[in-house]
Short mmCIF file of all heavy atoms in Angstrom, two decimals:
data_model
loop_
_atom_site.label_atom_id
_atom_site.label_comp_id
_atom_site.label_asym_id
_atom_site.label_seq_id
_atom_site.Cartn_x
_atom_site.Cartn_y
_atom_site.Cartn_z
N LEU A 129 101.37 92.19 115.64
CA LEU A 129 102.16 92.32 114.42
C LEU A 129 103.66 92.30 114.72
O LEU A 129 104.43 91.68 113.98
CB LEU A 129 101.79 93.64 113.71
CG LEU A 129 102.43 93.88 112.35
CD1 LEU A 129 102.11 92.74 111.37
CD2 LEU A 129 101.96 95.22 111.76
N ALA A 130 104.06 92.93 115.80
CA ALA A 130 105.48 92.91 116.18
C ALA A 130 105.94 91.47 116.43
O ALA A 130 107.01 91.05 115.97
CB ALA A 130 105.71 93.76 117.41
N GLU A 131 105.12 90.73 117.15
CA GLU A 131 105.47 89.31 117.43
C GLU A 131 105.59 88.53 116.12
O GLU A 131 106.53 87.75 115.95
CB GLU A 131 104.39 88.70 118.32
CG GLU A 131 104.68 87.24 118.66
CD GLU A 131 103.57 86.63 119.51
OE1 GLU A 131 102.49 87.23 119.58
OE2 GLU A 131 103.79 85.58 120.09
N TYR A 132 104.64 88.74 115.22
CA TYR A 132 104.67 88.00 113.95
C TYR A 132 105.90 88.35 113.11
O TYR A 132 106.57 87.45 112.57
CB TYR A 132 103.40 88.35 113.17
CG TYR A 132 103.39 87.83 111.76
CD1 TYR A 132 103.17 86.48 111.48
CD2 TYR A 132 103.59 88.69 110.68
CE1 TYR A 132 103.17 85.99 110.18
CE2 TYR A 132 103.58 88.22 109.38
CZ TYR A 132 103.37 86.88 109.13
OH TYR A 132 103.38 86.40 107.84
N LEU A 133 106.20 89.64 113.01
CA LEU A 133 107.30 90.06 112.16
C LEU A 133 108.67 89.65 112.71
O LEU A 133 109.57 89.28 111.94
CB LEU A 133 107.26 91.59 111.97
CG LEU A 133 106.05 92.11 111.20
CD1 LEU A 133 106.03 93.65 111.24
CD2 LEU A 133 106.09 91.64 109.74
N ILE A 134 108.83 89.72 114.02
CA ILE A 134 110.14 89.41 114.61
C ILE A 134 110.29 87.90 114.84
O ILE A 134 111.32 87.29 114.49
CB ILE A 134 110.36 90.16 115.94
CG1 ILE A 134 110.27 91.69 115.73
CG2 ILE A 134 111.69 89.76 116.58
CD1 ILE A 134 111.37 92.26 114.89
N GLU A 135 109.29 87.26 115.40
CA GLU A 135 109.45 85.87 115.82
C GLU A 135 109.13 84.87 114.70
O GLU A 135 109.68 83.77 114.70
CB GLU A 135 108.58 85.58 117.04
CG GLU A 135 109.01 86.39 118.26
CD GLU A 135 108.37 85.92 119.55
OE1 GLU A 135 107.50 85.00 119.48
OE2 GLU A 135 108.70 86.46 120.61
N ARG A 136 108.24 85.24 113.78
CA ARG A 136 107.87 84.32 112.73
C ARG A 136 108.51 84.66 111.38
O ARG A 136 109.08 83.81 110.72
CB ARG A 136 106.35 84.23 112.59
CG ARG A 136 105.70 83.61 113.84
CD ARG A 136 104.21 83.51 113.71
NE ARG A 136 103.80 82.70 112.56
CZ ARG A 136 102.53 82.56 112.18
NH1 ARG A 136 101.56 83.18 112.82
NH2 ARG A 136 102.25 81.80 111.12
N LYS A 137 108.40 85.93 110.99
CA LYS A 137 109.07 86.36 109.74
C LYS A 137 110.56 86.54 109.92
O LYS A 137 111.32 86.55 108.97
CB LYS A 137 108.44 87.65 109.23
CG LYS A 137 106.99 87.55 108.83
CD LYS A 137 106.78 86.77 107.55
CE LYS A 137 107.21 87.59 106.34
NZ LYS A 137 106.89 86.88 105.07
N ARG A 138 110.97 86.73 111.16
CA ARG A 138 112.38 86.91 111.52
C ARG A 138 113.01 88.14 110.85
O ARG A 138 114.15 88.12 110.41
CB ARG A 138 113.16 85.65 111.23
CG ARG A 138 112.59 84.46 111.93
CD ARG A 138 113.61 83.41 112.24
NE ARG A 138 112.99 82.39 113.08
CZ ARG A 138 113.52 81.87 114.15
NH1 ARG A 138 114.71 82.29 114.56
NH2 ARG A 138 112.93 80.93 114.86
N TYR A 139 112.23 89.21 110.81
CA TYR A 139 112.77 90.48 110.34
C TYR A 139 113.58 91.12 111.46
O TYR A 139 113.35 90.88 112.65
CB TYR A 139 111.64 91.43 109.95
CG TYR A 139 110.93 91.08 108.66
CD1 TYR A 139 109.63 91.52 108.45
CD2 TYR A 139 111.55 90.34 107.67
CE1 TYR A 139 108.96 91.23 107.25
CE2 TYR A 139 110.89 90.04 106.47
CZ TYR A 139 109.61 90.48 106.28
OH TYR A 139 108.95 90.21 105.11
N GLY A 140 114.50 91.98 111.04
CA GLY A 140 115.18 92.84 112.00
C GLY A 140 114.26 93.98 112.42
O GLY A 140 113.20 94.20 111.83
N ILE A 141 114.71 94.72 113.43
CA ILE A 141 113.88 95.78 113.99
C ILE A 141 113.55 96.84 112.95
O ILE A 141 112.41 97.33 112.87
CB ILE A 141 114.58 96.44 115.20
CG1 ILE A 141 114.70 95.43 116.36
CG2 ILE A 141 113.84 97.70 115.65
CD1 ILE A 141 113.38 95.01 116.96
N PHE A 142 114.50 97.20 112.10
CA PHE A 142 114.27 98.29 111.13
C PHE A 142 113.18 97.90 110.13
O PHE A 142 112.32 98.69 109.81
CB PHE A 142 115.57 98.65 110.43
CG PHE A 142 116.63 99.20 111.34
CD1 PHE A 142 117.77 98.46 111.64
CD2 PHE A 142 116.48 100.46 111.91
CE1 PHE A 142 118.73 98.96 112.50
CE2 PHE A 142 117.44 100.99 112.77
CZ PHE A 142 118.57 100.24 113.06
N ARG A 143 113.24 96.66 109.63
CA ARG A 143 112.24 96.22 108.65
C ARG A 143 110.88 96.08 109.33
O ARG A 143 109.83 96.44 108.75
CB ARG A 143 112.69 94.88 108.06
CG ARG A 143 111.67 94.22 107.12
CD ARG A 143 111.49 94.98 105.82
NE ARG A 143 110.50 94.32 104.97
CZ ARG A 143 110.79 93.34 104.12
NH1 ARG A 143 112.06 92.89 104.01
NH2 ARG A 143 109.86 92.80 103.39
N ALA A 144 110.87 95.55 110.55
CA ALA A 144 109.59 95.39 111.26
C ALA A 144 108.96 96.77 111.48
O ALA A 144 107.74 96.93 111.29
CB ALA A 144 109.82 94.70 112.61
N ARG A 145 109.76 97.75 111.88
CA ARG A 145 109.23 99.10 112.09
C ARG A 145 108.62 99.65 110.80
O ARG A 145 107.53 100.24 110.79
CB ARG A 145 110.35 100.03 112.59
CG ARG A 145 109.88 101.45 112.85
CD ARG A 145 111.02 102.34 113.27
NE ARG A 145 111.51 101.99 114.58
CZ ARG A 145 112.72 101.48 114.83
NH1 ARG A 145 113.57 101.28 113.83
NH2 ARG A 145 113.10 101.18 116.05
N GLN A 146 109.34 99.46 109.69
CA GLN A 146 108.86 99.95 108.38
C GLN A 146 107.52 99.30 108.03
O GLN A 146 106.59 99.97 107.56
CB GLN A 146 109.91 99.62 107.32
CG GLN A 146 109.56 100.12 105.93
CD GLN A 146 110.64 99.68 104.93
OE1 GLN A 146 111.05 98.53 104.89
NE2 GLN A 146 111.08 100.64 104.13
N GLU A 147 107.43 98.00 108.20
CA GLU A 147 106.21 97.28 107.88
C GLU A 147 105.03 97.74 108.75
O GLU A 147 103.90 97.90 108.27
CB GLU A 147 106.41 95.77 108.11
CG GLU A 147 107.41 95.12 107.15
CD GLU A 147 106.84 94.94 105.75
OE1 GLU A 147 105.63 94.76 105.62
OE2 GLU A 147 107.64 94.96 104.79
N MET A 148 105.30 97.99 110.03
CA MET A 148 104.23 98.39 110.93
C MET A 148 103.74 99.80 110.63
O MET A 148 102.54 100.07 110.69
CB MET A 148 104.74 98.27 112.38
CG MET A 148 104.99 96.81 112.77
SD MET A 148 105.76 96.64 114.40
CE MET A 148 104.34 96.98 115.46
N LEU A 149 104.66 100.69 110.31
CA LEU A 149 104.26 102.06 109.94
C LEU A 149 103.45 102.04 108.66
O LEU A 149 102.51 102.82 108.49
CB LEU A 149 105.49 102.95 109.82
CG LEU A 149 106.23 103.27 111.12
CD1 LEU A 149 107.54 104.00 110.83
CD2 LEU A 149 105.37 104.10 112.07
N HIS A 150 103.81 101.15 107.75
CA HIS A 150 103.09 101.03 106.47
C HIS A 150 101.65 100.58 106.72
O HIS A 150 100.77 100.88 105.88
CB HIS A 150 103.80 100.04 105.57
CG HIS A 150 103.19 99.90 104.21
ND1 HIS A 150 103.20 100.92 103.28
CD2 HIS A 150 102.51 98.87 103.65
CE1 HIS A 150 102.56 100.51 102.20
NE2 HIS A 150 102.13 99.28 102.39
N LYS A 151 101.40 99.88 107.79
CA LYS A 151 100.04 99.45 108.14
C LYS A 151 99.20 100.58 108.71
O LYS A 151 98.02 100.40 109.04
CB LYS A 151 100.09 98.30 109.15
CG LYS A 151 100.82 97.05 108.69
CD LYS A 151 100.05 96.30 107.61
CE LYS A 151 100.73 94.97 107.31
NZ LYS A 151 100.08 94.25 106.20
N GLY A 152 99.80 101.74 108.88
CA GLY A 152 99.06 102.89 109.37
C GLY A 152 99.09 103.04 110.88
O GLY A 152 98.32 103.84 111.44
N LEU A 153 99.95 102.30 111.54
CA LEU A 153 100.04 102.42 113.02
C LEU A 153 100.83 103.66 113.41
O LEU A 153 101.80 104.04 112.73
CB LEU A 153 100.72 101.17 113.59
CG LEU A 153 99.93 99.87 113.46
CD1 LEU A 153 100.83 98.68 113.75
CD2 LEU A 153 98.74 99.88 114.41
N GLU A 154 100.43 104.27 114.51
CA GLU A 154 101.13 105.44 114.99
C GLU A 154 102.52 105.06 115.50
O GLU A 154 102.72 103.97 116.03
CB GLU A 154 100.33 106.10 116.10
CG GLU A 154 99.02 106.71 115.65
CD GLU A 154 98.26 107.41 116.77
OE1 GLU A 154 98.81 107.46 117.89
OE2 GLU A 154 97.14 107.88 116.53
N LYS A 155 103.46 105.99 115.34
CA LYS A 155 104.87 105.70 115.63
C LYS A 155 105.05 105.28 117.11
O LYS A 155 105.83 104.37 117.40
CB LYS A 155 105.73 106.93 115.33
CG LYS A 155 107.23 106.63 115.35
CD LYS A 155 107.98 107.86 114.86
CE LYS A 155 109.46 107.54 114.70
NZ LYS A 155 110.13 107.13 115.96
N ASN A 156 104.32 105.93 118.02
CA ASN A 156 104.52 105.58 119.43
C ASN A 156 104.06 104.17 119.73
O ASN A 156 104.66 103.45 120.53
CB ASN A 156 103.81 106.59 120.34
CG ASN A 156 102.28 106.54 120.18
OD1 ASN A 156 101.77 106.68 119.08
ND2 ASN A 156 101.57 106.36 121.28
N LEU A 157 102.98 103.72 119.05
CA LEU A 157 102.51 102.35 119.25
C LEU A 157 103.50 101.35 118.67
O LEU A 157 103.73 100.27 119.27
CB LEU A 157 101.14 102.16 118.58
CG LEU A 157 99.97 102.94 119.16
CD1 LEU A 157 98.69 102.64 118.38
CD2 LEU A 157 99.77 102.60 120.64
N VAL A 158 104.10 101.70 117.55
CA VAL A 158 105.10 100.83 116.93
C VAL A 158 106.32 100.68 117.86
O VAL A 158 106.80 99.57 118.10
CB VAL A 158 105.53 101.38 115.57
CG1 VAL A 158 106.72 100.61 115.01
CG2 VAL A 158 104.35 101.32 114.58
N GLU A 159 106.78 101.80 118.36
CA GLU A 159 107.98 101.76 119.23
C GLU A 159 107.69 100.99 120.51
O GLU A 159 108.53 100.23 120.99
CB GLU A 159 108.45 103.17 119.54
CG GLU A 159 108.90 103.97 118.32
CD GLU A 159 110.01 103.30 117.54
OE1 GLU A 159 110.82 102.53 118.13
OE2 GLU A 159 110.07 103.52 116.30
N ASP A 160 106.52 101.18 121.08
CA ASP A 160 106.16 100.45 122.29
C ASP A 160 106.10 98.94 122.03
O ASP A 160 106.58 98.14 122.84
CB ASP A 160 104.80 100.90 122.82
CG ASP A 160 104.84 102.30 123.45
OD1 ASP A 160 105.94 102.81 123.69
OD2 ASP A 160 103.76 102.87 123.70
N ALA A 161 105.52 98.56 120.89
CA ALA A 161 105.36 97.13 120.57
C ALA A 161 106.70 96.47 120.29
O ALA A 161 106.90 95.29 120.61
CB ALA A 161 104.44 96.98 119.37
N LEU A 162 107.65 97.23 119.73
CA LEU A 162 108.96 96.65 119.39
C LEU A 162 109.98 96.75 120.53
O LEU A 162 111.06 96.16 120.43
CB LEU A 162 109.53 97.38 118.16
CG LEU A 162 108.83 97.11 116.81
CD1 LEU A 162 109.41 98.01 115.74
CD2 LEU A 162 108.98 95.64 116.41
N ALA A 163 109.62 97.43 121.56
CA ALA A 163 110.58 97.72 122.63
C ALA A 163 111.22 96.49 123.23
O ALA A 163 112.41 96.51 123.62
CB ALA A 163 109.91 98.54 123.74
N ASP A 164 110.51 95.39 123.31
CA ASP A 164 111.03 94.18 123.95
C ASP A 164 111.63 93.19 122.99
O ASP A 164 111.96 92.07 123.36
CB ASP A 164 109.91 93.48 124.73
CG ASP A 164 109.38 94.32 125.88
OD1 ASP A 164 110.18 95.11 126.44
OD2 ASP A 164 108.18 94.22 126.21
N TYR A 165 111.83 93.59 121.72
CA TYR A 165 112.26 92.62 120.70
C TYR A 165 113.69 92.83 120.20
O TYR A 165 114.14 92.08 119.32
CB TYR A 165 111.29 92.62 119.52
CG TYR A 165 110.01 91.90 119.82
CD1 TYR A 165 108.83 92.62 120.13
CD2 TYR A 165 109.94 90.52 119.81
CE1 TYR A 165 107.66 91.96 120.43
CE2 TYR A 165 108.76 89.85 120.10
CZ TYR A 165 107.63 90.57 120.41
OH TYR A 165 106.43 89.93 120.69
N ASP A 166 114.42 93.80 120.73
CA ASP A 166 115.79 94.02 120.27
C ASP A 166 116.62 92.75 120.46
O ASP A 166 117.35 92.31 119.55
CB ASP A 166 116.44 95.17 121.03
CG ASP A 166 115.93 96.53 120.55
OD1 ASP A 166 115.68 96.67 119.35
OD2 ASP A 166 115.77 97.43 121.39
N GLU A 167 116.53 92.15 121.63
CA GLU A 167 117.33 90.95 121.90
C GLU A 167 116.89 89.78 121.06
O GLU A 167 117.73 89.02 120.54
CB GLU A 167 117.21 90.60 123.40
CG GLU A 167 118.15 89.49 123.84
CD GLU A 167 118.14 89.26 125.33
OE1 GLU A 167 117.74 90.17 126.07
OE2 GLU A 167 118.52 88.14 125.75
N THR A 168 115.58 89.62 120.87
CA THR A 168 115.08 88.52 120.05
C THR A 168 115.57 88.63 118.62
O THR A 168 116.01 87.65 118.01
CB THR A 168 113.54 88.52 120.06
OG1 THR A 168 113.06 88.42 121.38
CG2 THR A 168 113.00 87.35 119.23
N ALA A 169 115.53 89.85 118.07
CA ALA A 169 115.99 90.06 116.69
C ALA A 169 117.48 89.75 116.57
O ALA A 169 117.92 89.13 115.60
CB ALA A 169 115.71 91.49 116.27
N LEU A 170 118.24 90.13 117.57
CA LEU A 170 119.68 89.87 117.57
C LEU A 170 119.94 88.36 117.66
O LEU A 170 120.85 87.84 116.99
CB LEU A 170 120.34 90.60 118.73
CG LEU A 170 121.88 90.71 118.69
CD1 LEU A 170 122.33 91.41 117.42
CD2 LEU A 170 122.37 91.46 119.91
N GLU A 171 119.14 87.66 118.45
CA GLU A 171 119.29 86.21 118.56
C GLU A 171 118.91 85.50 117.26
O GLU A 171 119.47 84.45 116.93
CB GLU A 171 118.41 85.70 119.71
CG GLU A 171 118.92 86.10 121.08
CD GLU A 171 117.93 85.75 122.20
OE1 GLU A 171 116.80 85.32 121.87
OE2 GLU A 171 118.29 85.93 123.38
#
Side-chain angles (χ1 to χ4, degrees):
L129 185 58
E131 180 182 16
Y132 171 75
L133 294 172
I134 301 294
E135 296 192 355
R136 294 181 59 186
K137 296 289 285 185
R138 303 208 172 225
Y139 287 156
I141 294 295
F142 296 109
R143 174 69 180 274
R145 180 183 291 113
Q146 182 183 48
E147 293 285 331
M148 294 173 75
L149 291 172
H150 183 68
K151 299 290 187 183
L153 292 167
E154 293 183 3
K155 192 172 187 299
N156 66 305
L157 294 180
V158 172
E159 297 303 331
D160 287 348
L162 289 173
D164 296 329
Y165 283 102
D166 284 324
E167 187 173 339
T168 302
L170 194 57
E171 290 171 353

